[in-house]
Amino acid sequence: EVVSLRDVKKLTSVPVLGVIPKYKSHIPVSQLIVDSRPRSLLAEALRAIRTNLQFVKNITQSKVIAISSTVSGEGKTFVAINFAGVLAFNNKKVIVLDFDLRKPKIHIGFNTDNEKGISSILLKLHSADECIKHSNIPYLDFITAGPTPVNPSELILTNETDDLITYLKTQYDYVILDTPPIGLVSDAMKPLQYADYPI
């Protein structure tokens, strides 16, 4: 079993940005909790990761962060939403994109609808600006996944994905991509390749 950070460092050569404590109580429907508990261990851990990112790669322009894991249910969306909140508290303009087009969760995490979003933009049914939603934290916006398409992998591989991320980098300091589990589907590969920080 891997039970500590020391085990991870001993067994792998992967850089470790930090350790996020397990959220012990029931996670509410609206998963953005760093605003209601800014002094919690979770918020402190995310702030430490924010600081450590600067030592990995110091980039002055807009930064793209992609968050993935091996399988579903490991907390990608929870981490993406709350890490975005910590960045926004620092007066940075942040947007979270739900690229898990098969099992979208950002709309659940922000307790909103999923009528239009990434899939709508990539299919040219709506513009990015029409799909951007605002959270209750200043500087923090998000785009839900939108209706589930029949071909998520192929849709993500289109030039529209390039155009979307390029455009959002001109509008925001950080673009956070909540990706599908990389151990189960290939959909996560393209968003991870865009990332300055693939996590």
Side-chain angles (χ1 to χ4, degrees), residues 165-182:
I165 294 177
T166 300
Y167 169 67
L168 293 174
K169 285 174 71 174
T170 67
Q171 306 297 311
Y172 293 88
D173 298 308
Y174 290 93
V175 179
I176 297 184
L177 313 179
D178 182 24
T179 75
I182 196 164

Side-chain angles (χ1 to χ4, degrees), residues 5 11 32 36-37 67 74 105 116 119 130 138 146 163 173 189 193:
L5 179 59
L11 297 170
L32 183 59
S36 59
R37 301 182 185 182
I67 298 177
E74 293 184 315
K105 291 180 183 166
K116 58 185 178 183
S119 62
E130 290 174 323
D163 296 340
D173 298 308
M189 286 304 298
Q193 288 170 353

Side-chain angles (χ1 to χ4, degrees), residues 31 38 63 142 178 183:
Q31 293 184 12
K63 303 162 183 70
F142 61 97
D178 182 24

Side-chain angles (χ1 to χ4, degrees), residues 39-60:
R39 298 182 184 275
S40 65
L41 284 175
L42 175 74
E44 286 296 333
L46 290 169
R47 279 193 284 272
I49 291 172
R50 178 187 67 193
T51 301
N52 289 340
L53 274 180
Q54 298 171 354
F55 296 103
V56 175
K57 188 189 292 186
N58 194 4
I59 302 171
T60 54

Side-chain angles (χ1 to χ4, degrees), residues 96-112:
V96 183
L97 311 183
D98 192 346
F99 267 95
D100 194 346
L101 303 185
R102 298 172 194 266
K103 292 184 177 180
K105 291 180 183 166
I106 288 290
H107 65 287
I108 299 171
F110 281 106
N111 199 18
T112 187

Side-chain angles (χ1 to χ4, degrees), residues 15-26:
V16 177
L17 290 172
V19 177
I20 299 175
K22 184 175 181 180
Y23 193 72
K24 293 183 179 178
S25 58
H26 178 69

